[in-house]
Amino acid sequence: MSVVVDGPAIRLVGHCPVEDAEPLLVALQEDAGRVVHLGELEGAHFAVVQILLLCCPALEGFPKDLFLKNLVLPILGASASEQINADP
Amino acid sequence: MSVSVMIVDDSKLARIVAAKALGQLQPDWQKVEAGSAAQALELLETEKVDVALVDFNMSEKNGLELAAELRAMRPDMPIAIITANIQDEIISQAREVGAAFIAKPVTSEALSGFVSGAALKLRTAKA
Amino acid sequence: MDELLEQFLIEGRELVAQAHGDLALLARDPARSEVLSSLFRTVHTLKGSVALFDMGPAEHLLHTAETRLERERGGRTAMGRDDLETLVAVIDQLDRWIDEMEHGGALPADAEARAATLAESLQDDEGEDGERPSETESKTATSETADAPDWLGAMLADSRFRDLDGAATAFRYIPDSECFFRGEDPLALVAGVPDLLAIDVVRSAETPEIADIEPFKCVLGILGVSKGTLKAVQGAFRMVPDQVSFAQIARPSGSALTEALAETLASTSADRATMLRVPADKLDTLAAEVRELAVAMHGLEGVTRQAQRVDRALADELRRIQSGLARAVGTLAAMVADVRLVPLQPVLRRLPRLARELASALDKNVAFELSGDGIEVDKQIAEGLFEPLLHLVRNAIDHGIEAPQIRLRSGKPAQGRVALELARRGDRLVATLVDDGAGIDPATIRKAAVAKGIIAAETAENLGERQVLRLIFAPGFSTSEVVTDVSGRGVGMDAVQRAVERLQGTIDIESEPGQGTRLTIQLPLNAIVTRLLTVSVAGERYGLRMDQIVETLRLDATEIQTLGQGNACIIRDRTVPVVALAALLGHDETVSPVARLVVTDAGGEPMALRVDALGDRLDAPVRERSGLLSALPAVGGTTVHSDGTVLLVLDLPELLA
């Protein structure tokens, strides 16, 4: 499973296929305060990215994939960075 | 419970290639083969078919016509058109009947998007 | 580099040139079956060659082209202009890919999309009833994009998309909510867009509350901006044509062109002279050694003359040996020169493609004709010629050829013509670039040059039209404001002139306002030996290159009059400024009742250089300045005079600049 839920943290690992949208959503629905860690992310289906865009969780780390890091992360970042800063 | 995929192609070799690629992705899925559009329609009467992989280039009735008929009978069935001939005209027709488009020769890579989408569809339909 | 690839780079480019040649012939006469057969074979061979490498998209594309040509050979379809243009685009693409293979060893990431797009236009031409679907399609595509769609303005106003360097094409992709089930990944498609600069998402449906989100329902769309062309970006979305709209982003043509130009110039240096099957540097060394040998021979000639005074018998013996050696050296030099001769074709092969690219970037309709590129010239000349010619072609398309509607209004055909003709005249190569564009108005140039302080107002009045036109080669003329004021001919013209002069060539310009412009570049076919005139100044002898000298004359010193701050004399009813070469070189001027003048136009306009004495003329190998001498700006090189002394060869354009 490439969505690893670990208490208050969710780690996205490797390539996250379309199916991962569901466990990711469930994890965020359970606890919207969970921080999503992107440091091990190598690729993501749009369905997964869409969940991040719709739920706006706090994010941490940079994806390994350059497309995700340089082009997708800036879209996610705008709302996410505020939340990261707001976190004590 | 198991998913059944119908592979329609008038070339035996092409059916083997498609079945192999599919087997790599979903080893548990059942495969039924049809050598023509007519055979495919017959199969649909007797067998359980959840997903269809249809070759575009067949002699009697082409894959798009068959896909359109399948769509009429089974509005929610995941259907993919397989072809080596990637032309915009064919792409747009395939989209009109709500079929995915897979380039020939079929590899598990080329098939994976369609297969995972189909799996989702079948799962959500059951749920 | 691996040997197989190296061979491919050579043969691949030869085949590209061959294909372009055949296509040019077919453009003139589409019915020539032997040309068609040749093209077919060339494309087939190319296909076989690319198959040896990891160039799948290229192979696929060539296969499509081959199939298209096969149908043509069977006489089943008629090949129209569109077909030929598509084939030209296919070969151009292949040419670029060969460059990529050389530089990166692999095709670029967008190769597949590009191949698919091109192959598609080839296949689209199959339309049986003569209707070309590609044409109608592309028409709707452009009419869609011609008036910028509503979404584009709002999108580009967003800070995410503002001020992106090189932004060319925008897209708006709204997938349907069911797309995930068909196996589509909109993000993967977007990742496949070539040269993507930035993306953003838009909500295509109302944003659901977190509890109501359906994980597999697509509710977002993606906006993006790419540096790629409309066609390239469209190629990435071939599978979802119904869900994407596109728009071309207008951008200042200047920056785009500069970029294209810089890119081209940067890549040119890398593939120069690869057509030589002998490592080019070895050949350069060989030529340099022969040059040294010839220089030493020249010294021997002087020694022989000195020996004459001392010992006749010894002098005779020396002369016998010397003439034998001279013959051998002459033959050797000629052979080396011959080996160094390369056809211009591989060097110039990019020009038609670049001309097409520039024309389309500028929305101009231009037919570019290239002829005579089969001529062989010295490698050095061939290499040095591309850059100035590209500048000139670029200028002709950018500033010479008017926009189609303006042309029509002034009674010209919408399609402009830019023709580059290369011809051999004696031992000179003559490159003539003619355009039928707007031409240059001497009055505007005159005004601009005076305004720029390049020339005094009264001098400007005295200049004939030809001299006025030459002002565009003056350094400092080509600033951007002048460029926009006059018809823009200024861009880099002084650089062009310098490049031509480095090759010991000359450049000439003629223009008829409203009718067009003709530029003529003359270059030696063979650059190893230079014809020099020796002059004496302040007790020193210098060499001047004959090709920079218009004439030499003697005048009574009284005929030189003071004019403004300088001196001038009248030569054939024309006022020519007179400058003492001694003064230019920092020596004291000597005064004599007879003025010996060398008239040169190396500085852009005729100028008379006063010297103390005119010496002999000689053909001598000139060594490029090196070492200590390179610090002297006016010295173009050195040679050894027949008396054994070293002669400094002056670089007049630099001295007069």
Side-chain angles (χ1 to χ4, degrees):
Chain A
M1 183 59 89
S2 35
V3 178
V4 183
V5 183
D6 189 0
I10 302 170
R11 288 189 294 127
L12 299 184
V13 182
H15 289 269
C16 290
V18 61
E19 296 86 357
D20 281 355
E22 193 163 29
L24 176 62
L25 175 65
V26 169
L28 289 168
Q29 279 171 339
E30 281 170 6
D31 179 0
R34 280 180 164 143
V35 176
V36 180
H37 293 254
L38 303 177
E40 296 156 277
L41 183 62
E42 287 164 30
H45 191 281
F46 190 49
V48 175
V49 172
Q50 179 174 267
I51 297 299
L52 295 177
L53 285 161
L54 294 176
C55 298
C56 301
L59 302 174
E60 258 203 41
F62 294 97
K64 290 178 179 169
D65 176 72
L66 287 181
F67 171 72
L68 286 177
K69 185 177 156 207
N70 297 335
L71 290 157
V72 179
L73 196 60
I75 319 174
L76 296 168
S79 54
S81 61
E82 288 162 29
Q83 297 188 9
I84 287 173
N85 292 344
D87 241 32
Chain B
M1 184 61 223
S2 158
V3 176
S4 170
V5 183
M6 175 169 72
I7 302 171
V8 191
D9 195 317
D10 53 9
S11 152
K12 171 102 180 128
L13 181 68
R15 293 200 300 271
I16 295 170
V17 171
K20 243 183 161 167
L22 185 63
Q24 283 172 6
L25 295 167
Q26 298 283 1
D28 299 337
W29 287 12
Q30 305 291 317
K31 287 146 248 173
V32 289
E33 297 184 13
S36 69
Q39 235 182 63
L41 292 170
E42 264 172 48
L43 262 180
L44 215 57
E45 306 271 309
T46 54
E47 304 267 337
K48 175 176 108 78
V49 174
D50 304 305
V51 178
L53 294 177
V54 181
D55 181 47
F56 168 71
N57 189 19
M58 292 189 295
S59 50
E60 299 158 40
K61 186 184 285 178
N62 79 33
L64 274 171
E65 293 171 77
L66 175 61
E69 284 173 41
L70 293 176
R71 176 59 71 229
M73 295 155 66
R74 305 277 299 275
D76 288 326
M77 182 164 73
I79 304 172
I81 298 285
I82 297 172
T83 175
N85 204 354
I86 309 177
Q87 288 175 21
D88 287 349
E89 183 66 17
I90 300 173
I91 293 173
S92 69
Q93 284 180 32
R95 292 188 69 80
E96 268 169 40
V97 299
F101 201 89
I102 293 165
K104 239 181 179 176
V106 178
T107 60
S108 58
E109 229 180 352
L111 211 53
S112 69
F114 170 72
V115 166
S116 52
L120 276 183
K121 181 98 180 178
L122 296 171
R123 203 157 50 105
T124 43
K126 273 174 200 137
Chain C
M1 198 187 293
D2 120 61
E3 199 186 338
L4 201 62
L5 180 59
E6 211 168 310
Q7 190 59 30
F8 167 70
L9 294 175
I10 295 167
E11 284 186 11
R13 285 174 176 145
E14 280 174 359
L15 290 166
V16 162
Q18 168 74 36
H20 270 316
D22 289 342
L23 282 165
L25 287 175
L26 283 175
R28 260 167 256 158
D29 182 3
R32 287 178 62 177
S33 62
E34 82 281 4
V35 181
L36 197 60
S37 298
S38 155
L39 182 61
F40 176 82
R41 280 192 306 273
T42 306
V43 169
H44 182 81
T45 313
L46 259 175
K47 187 179 85 168
S49 308
V50 303
L52 297 171
F53 302 91
D54 189 11
M55 295 178 74
E59 190 184 349
H60 165 66
L61 179 56
L62 286 166
H63 177 75
T64 313
E66 188 188 344
T67 314
R68 178 73 189 84
L69 288 165
E70 177 72 69
R71 274 210 312 278
E72 185 66 25
R73 281 213 301 177
R76 270 181 282 165
T77 54
M79 191 142 64
R81 265 189 57 162
D82 287 1
D83 306 85
L84 285 172
E85 275 171 20
T86 309
L87 285 168
V88 167
V90 167
I91 301 296
D92 278 353
Q93 182 60 66
L94 203 78
D95 195 19
R96 278 187 286 265
W97 282 338
I98 293 175
D99 292 351
E100 299 271 0
M101 290 301 288
E102 177 169 27
H103 298 135
L107 291 186
D110 64 348
E112 205 148 329
R114 280 172 193 272
T117 314
L118 282 167
E120 172 203 341
S121 10
L122 278 172
Q123 284 165 344
D124 275 348
D125 294 342
E126 285 173 39
E128 282 147 33
D129 49 1
E131 273 285 312
R132 291 184 200 292
S134 68
E135 224 171 65
T136 39
E137 263 168 38
S138 67
K139 252 178 222 152
T140 40
T142 33
S143 64
E144 258 171 32
T145 52
D147 357 287
D150 307 339
W151 51 267
L152 183 66
M155 178 177 163
L156 293 181
D158 189 288
S159 64
R160 207 179 291 287
F161 296 114
R162 220 184 296 141
D163 301 328
L164 289 175
D165 246 11
T169 308
F171 63 84
R172 184 172 193 268
Y173 173 23
I174 310 293
D176 66 288
S177 60
E178 293 290 294
C179 72
F180 297 159
F181 293 121
R182 279 193 313 274
E184 290 164 21
D185 179 359
L187 199 60
L189 287 183
V190 169
V193 172
D195 304 317
L196 196 57
L197 290 169
I199 60 170
D200 200 358
V201 286
V202 286
R203 325 251 142 178
S204 55
E206 226 168 277
T207 312
E209 286 299 311
I210 190 159
D212 301 331
I213 295 172
E214 290 175 46
F216 304 120
K217 184 174 167 190
C218 186
V219 295
L220 297 178
I222 305 177
L223 306 175
V225 163
S226 153
K227 271 159 93 167
T229 59
L230 177 64
K231 265 209 137 150
V233 175
Q234 279 174 333
F237 293 109
R238 275 196 76 205
M239 296 302 180
V240 291
D242 46 329
Q243 300 180 335
V244 198
S245 29
F246 303 93
Q248 276 170 307
I249 300 170
R251 52 175 171 174
S253 62
S255 66
L257 276 172
T258 318
E259 257 171 51
L261 194 65
E263 203 176 296
T264 307
L265 292 181
S267 59
T268 329
S269 53
D271 66 10
R272 272 179 188 167
T274 38
M275 291 299 287
L276 283 171
R277 309 285 168 109
V278 179
D281 53 342
K282 280 193 186 168
L283 208 50
D284 285 341
T285 313
L286 182 62
E289 289 302 319
V290 171
R291 221 155 27 216
E292 290 296 315
L293 194 56
V295 169
M297 276 296 308
H298 227 76
L300 189 58
E301 224 177 284
V303 176
T304 310
R305 217 172 297 144
Q306 279 177 344
Q308 185 82 17
R309 279 176 241 140
V310 186
D311 186 334
R312 254 168 184 272
L314 179 65
D316 284 350
E317 186 69 2
L318 270 173
R319 192 169 295 115
R320 198 179 55 75
I321 294 167
Q322 188 235 330
S323 68
L325 265 175
R327 259 200 312 278
V329 170
T331 314
L332 187 59
M335 278 173 68
V336 171
D338 188 55
V339 171
R340 283 172 57 94
L341 286 184
V342 294
L344 279 169
Q345 201 172 48
V347 179
L348 299 184
R349 73 194 164 82
R350 304 162 141 268
L351 268 184
R353 177 183 114 203
L354 290 165
R356 282 190 291 273
E357 286 173 357
L358 284 169
S360 92
L362 290 163
D363 278 333
K364 292 196 179 163
N365 186 350
V366 180
F368 179 76
E369 294 161 26
L370 175 62
S371 59
D373 56 345
I375 290 175
E376 296 198 329
V377 299
D378 186 82
K379 177 176 152 286
Q380 185 190 356
I381 301 284
E383 287 167 5
L385 194 57
F386 177 78
E387 205 167 316
L389 283 180
L390 176 63
H391 271 287
L392 294 179
V393 168
R394 184 216 157 186
N395 270 353
I397 294 173
D398 191 359
H399 304 298
I401 300 296
E402 315 89 327
Q405 59 272 29
I406 296 177
R407 292 181 59 87
L408 288 171
R409 229 176 289 143
S410 45
K412 295 181 184 179
Q415 186 176 56
R417 178 174 169 267
V418 176
L420 175 62
E421 188 197 66
L422 298 140
R424 192 178 180 143
R425 206 170 295 155
D427 60 350
R428 314 280 291 167
L429 169 74
V430 183
T432 317
L433 184 76
V434 184
D435 70 63
D436 67 350
I440 306 171
D441 183 4
T444 323
I445 300 281
R446 195 179 267 134
K447 225 168 73 193
V450 172
K452 279 267 117 190
I454 289 166
I455 189 171
E458 68 251 46
T459 324
E461 288 314 309
N462 286 331
L463 290 179
E465 287 200 354
R466 249 190 135 102
Q467 280 79 42
V468 170
L469 286 184
R470 287 205 67 87
L471 285 173
I472 67 169
F473 295 118
F477 188 87
S478 2
T479 65
S480 57
E481 52 186 307
V482 180
V483 168
T484 39
D485 283 346
V486 302
S487 59
R489 280 280 170 170
V491 185
M493 282 306 226
D494 59 328
V496 171
Q497 163 138 321
R498 274 201 306 278
V500 169
E501 276 166 357
R502 262 198 301 277
L503 300 172
Q504 312 192 3
T506 58
I507 183 163
D508 211 6
I509 182 165
E510 295 161 73
S511 186
E512 186 74 34
Q515 301 301 308
T517 303
R518 170 192 295 267
L519 284 143
T520 312
I521 296 179
Q522 294 210 33
L523 294 167
L525 283 169
N526 189 321
I528 290 182
V529 177
T530 312
R531 193 152 177 76
L532 297 172
L533 168 73
T534 61
V535 297
S536 299
V537 174
E540 299 267 0
R541 275 195 307 183
Y542 296 95
L544 299 180
R545 279 171 29 194
M546 286 294 285
D547 56 355
Q548 294 175 345
I549 296 171
V550 179
E551 61 181 321
T552 60
L553 55 138
R554 287 159 193 253
L555 284 181
D556 197 291
T558 56
E559 285 184 53
I560 299 176
Q561 297 154 358
T562 307
L563 191 79
Q565 296 191 322
N567 296 319
C569 64
I570 308 289
I571 301 172
R572 282 188 296 279
D573 298 334
R574 239 171 50 193
T575 307
V576 176
V578 178
V579 175
L581 188 56
L584 286 176
L585 296 170
H587 299 300
D588 291 332
E589 280 182 60
T590 44
V591 189
S592 64
V594 178
R596 290 174 181 85
L597 301 177
V598 177
V599 182
T600 174
D601 57 1
E605 51 183 306
M607 181 177 275
L609 297 171
R610 189 168 175 179
V611 299
D612 296 344
L614 298 167
D616 51 355
R617 295 170 185 214
L618 66 153
D619 288 313
V622 176
R623 265 187 289 182
E624 277 175 40
R625 61 179 167 200
S626 58
L628 282 177
L629 285 176
S630 45
L632 299 174
V635 175
T638 56
T639 190
V640 177
H641 198 247
S642 53
D643 60 9
T645 57
V646 172
L647 193 65
L648 295 180
V649 178
L650 297 180
D651 182 345
L652 285 181
E654 204 168 319
L655 194 62
L656 299 175

